[in-house]
Amino acid sequence: MGKPQPPGDLGALVALFLRLGATAFGGPAVHIALMREEVVRRRRWLTDQEFLDLLGATNLIPGPNSTEMAIHIGYVRAGYWGLLAAGASFILPAFLLVLALAWAYVRWGSLPEVGMAFYGAKPVMVAIVAHALWGLGRTAFKDRPVALIALLGLVLNLLGVHELVLLLAGGIGTMLVRRVGAGGTALALLPGVAALPAAAPTSFSLGTLFWVFLKIGAVLFGSGYVLLAFLRADLVERLRWMTLAQLLDAVAVGQITPGPVFTTATFIGYLLGGLAGAVVATVGIFLPAFGFVAATHPFVPRLRRSAWAAAFLDGVNAVSWALMAAVTWYLARASLVDLPTALLALVSGLALFRTNLNPAVLLVMGAVAGILIRSL
């Protein structure tokens, strides 16, 4: 992966991640696909192998995956200043947009209508992730054992096995098969967490709000639905600061706005503590990501140089591909609901495979098409 580039790349990093943060709809899988398009195919800042190694390392630490990928890429280009610039630039547009929606929600008690635009944008998201899966798969599947591990990881994830269990099992399994010749791995499901008992309401404080989101950012693996489970346990059941309906509205805003899904924290913070609450919650949930990437990034190239570690990383990369494939399946089921959406996905896929059209442009075109179709 080489030495970080000089700080002269800061301007390019800020411009790129501000744009991605303002236009990257669809969740972490789509964000990562868009980042690959920009930094591997268009700018050639990284090779597919380097990008996959960063993705594998990202999947092994808790926190928002796409934001951590932005932070990793920033470190590669411009060291620690790049790490801060890329991460903050990716978060800032979503923070401002969610803040505006939270203000509207508090004032009017409802969210702006975006259903028509997302009707057309979601099929394009499916095509973007499928295109990225095709490119990354050709790099990730180095041999038959790795391909089989990816297939097994996909099946087990669709059956509900936790992402971290699969990532570790995939890495250890590949390492054993390559270096020892062992026949396979054993996977175990962790028992579920019991429901929390009812608790008395707790007085609101910015300090407690910061601690809640710092803790979530430091330990959370998995999708936005896992985030919902953590938030429900802390904010609805334990602290009694929100109703479940308010929490679902907050998570919906994080899903429908561009940039990191974790800006759900911004919405919740504003509802509970105004502008100060929005800032405190946002900083709390994203702060661990910067620390984790700064601590782990220097070891990624060393992992690739070690035969044992490289085998482990190849297995993690294969399972990372499988997790993206599982997300694509769920996204397709939710997005391709009729003939127009299926045609939008097909046309977008053809455009991605046959032209160099920017995926962000396709997303905007899909949103416009959705509005036109639903308006007829």
Side-chain angles (χ1 to χ4, degrees):
M1 214 157 300
K3 234 174 130 179
Q5 299 297 309
D9 280 332
L10 279 176
L13 280 170
V14 169
L16 171 61
F17 284 104
L18 279 175
R19 178 165 62 80
L20 287 176
T23 61
F25 291 89
V30 178
H31 303 164
I32 289 168
L34 291 170
M35 288 179 195
R36 175 187 174 269
E37 174 74 18
E38 294 290 348
V39 305
V40 176
R41 293 191 65 209
R42 291 180 174 276
R43 289 167 172 77
R44 301 187 185 278
W45 288 351
L46 298 172
T47 66
D48 255 332
Q49 183 62 69
E50 290 169 336
F51 189 87
L52 267 173
D53 288 348
L54 293 181
L55 180 59
T58 294
N59 277 315
L60 286 175
I61 58 177
N65 284 2
S66 56
T67 305
E68 288 167 343
M69 280 296 291
I71 296 170
H72 270 301
I73 293 165
Y75 185 89
V76 170
R77 296 302 294 173
Y80 287 109
W81 285 113
L83 174 151
L84 293 171
S89 298
F90 187 59
I91 295 165
L92 182 61
F95 169 78
L96 294 175
L97 180 55
V98 172
L99 191 63
L101 292 176
W103 173 84
Y105 183 88
V106 169
R107 177 157 186 174
W108 291 300
S110 62
L111 298 173
E113 179 59 45
V114 293
M116 292 191 295
F118 275 85
Y119 169 81
K122 285 180 180 179
V124 180
M125 297 174 196
V126 175
I128 291 170
V129 181
H131 181 251
L133 283 171
W134 174 261
L136 292 173
R138 290 183 298 175
T139 302
F141 301 157
K142 298 178 180 297
D143 49 39
R144 185 174 295 177
V146 169
L148 290 175
I149 283 172
L151 178 60
L152 181 61
L154 173 59
V155 171
L156 291 176
N157 186 244
L158 291 173
L159 291 175
V161 179
H162 194 279
E163 290 92 342
L164 183 58
V165 174
L166 294 175
L167 288 164
L168 291 175
I172 294 170
T174 303
M175 186 170 61
L176 292 175
V177 169
R178 289 238 189 108
R179 308 306 300 169
V180 182
T185 61
L187 298 177
L189 290 175
L190 296 176
V193 178
L196 292 173
T202 302
S203 298
F204 174 78
S205 74
L206 288 176
T208 304
L209 182 71
F210 178 77
W211 169 248
V212 166
F213 282 102
L214 183 72
K215 178 187 67 175
I216 291 173
V219 302
L220 179 63
F221 287 91
S223 68
Y225 297 109
V226 181
L227 175 64
L228 175 59
F230 272 74
L231 292 173
R232 176 183 173 276
D234 274 329
L235 299 177
V236 178
E237 298 295 331
R238 185 171 65 86
L239 296 172
R240 303 258 186 121
W241 285 352
M242 304 182 70
T243 66
L244 185 57
Q246 289 174 319
L247 179 58
L248 291 173
D249 285 343
V251 173
V253 168
Q255 297 284 345
I256 66 174
T257 48
V261 175
F262 275 31
T263 47
T264 293
T266 305
F267 190 93
I268 292 172
Y270 187 87
L271 260 60
L272 297 175
L275 180 59
V279 173
V280 164
T282 305
V283 171
I285 201 166
F286 284 107
L287 186 60
F290 289 88
F292 285 136
V293 172
T296 59
H297 183 96
F299 297 101
V300 177
R302 299 180 198 176
L303 291 177
R304 182 52 63 187
R305 287 195 293 267
S306 162
W308 282 87
F312 180 85
L313 194 54
D314 283 342
V316 170
N317 288 342
V319 176
S320 298
W321 182 95
L323 297 179
M324 282 187 70
V327 170
T328 307
W329 167 249
Y330 290 122
L331 187 60
R333 288 180 59 189
S335 305
L336 308 184
V337 294
D338 52 24
L339 182 59
T341 51
L343 289 175
L344 278 172
L346 178 60
V347 171
S348 300
L350 290 173
L352 288 166
F353 278 100
R354 294 180 177 272
T355 73
N356 288 320
L357 189 63
N358 193 311
V361 175
L362 278 177
L363 280 171
V364 173
M365 293 171 63
V368 172
I371 292 171
L372 292 174
I373 292 168
R374 282 297 177 92
S375 298
L376 294 177

